[in-house]
Amino acid sequence: MGTHSREGTVVAPGKARVKPPPLFKVLLLNDDYTPMEFVVIVLQSFFAMTQEQAYQVMLKVHREGMGVCGVYPRDVATTKVEQVLNYARKHQHPLQCVMEES
Ligand code: TYC
C-alpha cells in the first residue's frame, strides 16, 4: 500500500519525494593587487570567521589560487558574492568572488 503525493501519484511509503535544495560553495580568487589584510577583513566581515580562520583561508587562496569561504543555499551564496564584490569595488580592489554548486 502506498501514500499519495500532491499530484495524485502513488509513491512508496516513507520514500523521499523532493530533492533537498542544492548548496553552493562561495569561492575567493587570488589576484596580485588586493592587500592580504583587506581579504582577512572581508572573510571576518561576511563569513563570520575569526582572525585566525580568515588568515588561514586568505593564505590558502594566495598560495593555491582559490579557496572556499563557505557553503550556503543559493540565495545566501548569491548575497555573499554580491556583498564581497560591492565591498571590494567600493575600496577599489580587484578581488573576485564566485559561487559554484557543490
Ligand atoms: N595575492 C594577494 C597579495 O599578495 C593577496 C590575496 C589573497 C589577494 C587572497 C586575493 O583572494 C585573495 N597581496
Side-chain angles (χ1 to χ4, degrees), residues 28-36 39 58 61-62 95-96:
L28 220 47
L29 309 185
N30 189 35
D31 67 72
D32 292 338
Y33 305 103
T34 305
M36 289 182 170
V39 178
M58 181 282 297
V61 177
H62 176 69
L95 182 64
Q96 288 300 309

Side-chain angles (χ1 to χ4, degrees), residues 23-85:
L23 292 173
F24 290 79
K25 287 189 272 200
V26 174
L27 302 162
L28 220 47
L29 309 185
N30 189 35
D31 67 72
D32 292 338
Y33 305 103
T34 305
M36 289 182 170
E37 307 74 48
F38 184 82
V39 178
V40 171
I41 289 167
V42 164
L43 291 166
Q44 289 182 260
S45 305
F46 301 115
F47 300 95
M49 293 186 197
T50 65
Q51 191 164 17
E52 289 70 27
Q53 290 170 326
Y55 190 77
Q56 291 308 316
V57 172
M58 181 282 297
L59 261 194
K60 184 183 166 66
V61 177
H62 176 69
R63 290 175 175 154
E64 299 176 19
M66 65 165 63
V68 179
C69 309
V71 180
Y72 308 97
R74 185 193 299 273
D75 56 344
V76 179
T78 301
T79 300
K80 299 274 181 202
V81 170
E82 281 173 6
Q83 286 175 325
V84 171
L85 295 179

